[in-house]
């Protein structure tokens, strides 16, 4: 289910990016009033192609970095969890020893 939601979210984000690109392409061409309709369509098409390629490359870099960070943070989390468990275990042993020594000390009186 999570994978399906991620795919839908990815699709919606990509479609939003495509819409923004088309809007930017049209705005870019608005600044070039001498273009014929055919030239304008070609410039918009090329602008969109270039922007889509740039966006895709950027998203791929982000995905690779995200995967790398996840692996790094998982390793750090496991190390911290191991330290915490060790510290708690050591504290429990210390308390047990202290209670045992105290009870032996008090029982001997």
């Amino acid at each position: 289910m999570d994978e399906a939601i991620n795919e839908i979210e990815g699709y919606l984000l990509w479609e939003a990016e495509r819409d923004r690109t088309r809007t930017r392409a049209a705005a870019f061409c608005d600044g070039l009033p001498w273009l014929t309709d055919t030239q304008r369509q070609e410039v918009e098409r090329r602008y969109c192609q270039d922007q889509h390629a740039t966006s895709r490359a950027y998203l791929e870099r982000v995905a690779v970095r995200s995967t790398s960070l996840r692996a790094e943070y998982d390793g750090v989390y496991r190390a911290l969890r191991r330290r915490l468990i060790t510290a708690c275990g050591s504290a429990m042993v210390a308390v047990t020893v202290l209670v045992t020594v105290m009870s032996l000390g008090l029982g001997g009186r």
Side-chain angles (χ1 to χ4, degrees), residues 21-54:
T21 298
R22 284 190 289 271
T23 300
R24 286 192 308 262
F28 178 76
C29 287
D30 287 344
L32 307 171
W34 59 86
L35 294 175
T36 65
D37 288 343
T38 303
Q39 290 171 328
R40 181 184 174 96
Q41 289 171 353
E42 181 65 16
V43 169
E44 285 182 4
R45 186 183 65 75
R46 286 179 182 242
Y47 184 100
C48 289
Q49 282 178 336
D50 182 65
Q51 187 59 45
H52 289 151
T54 301

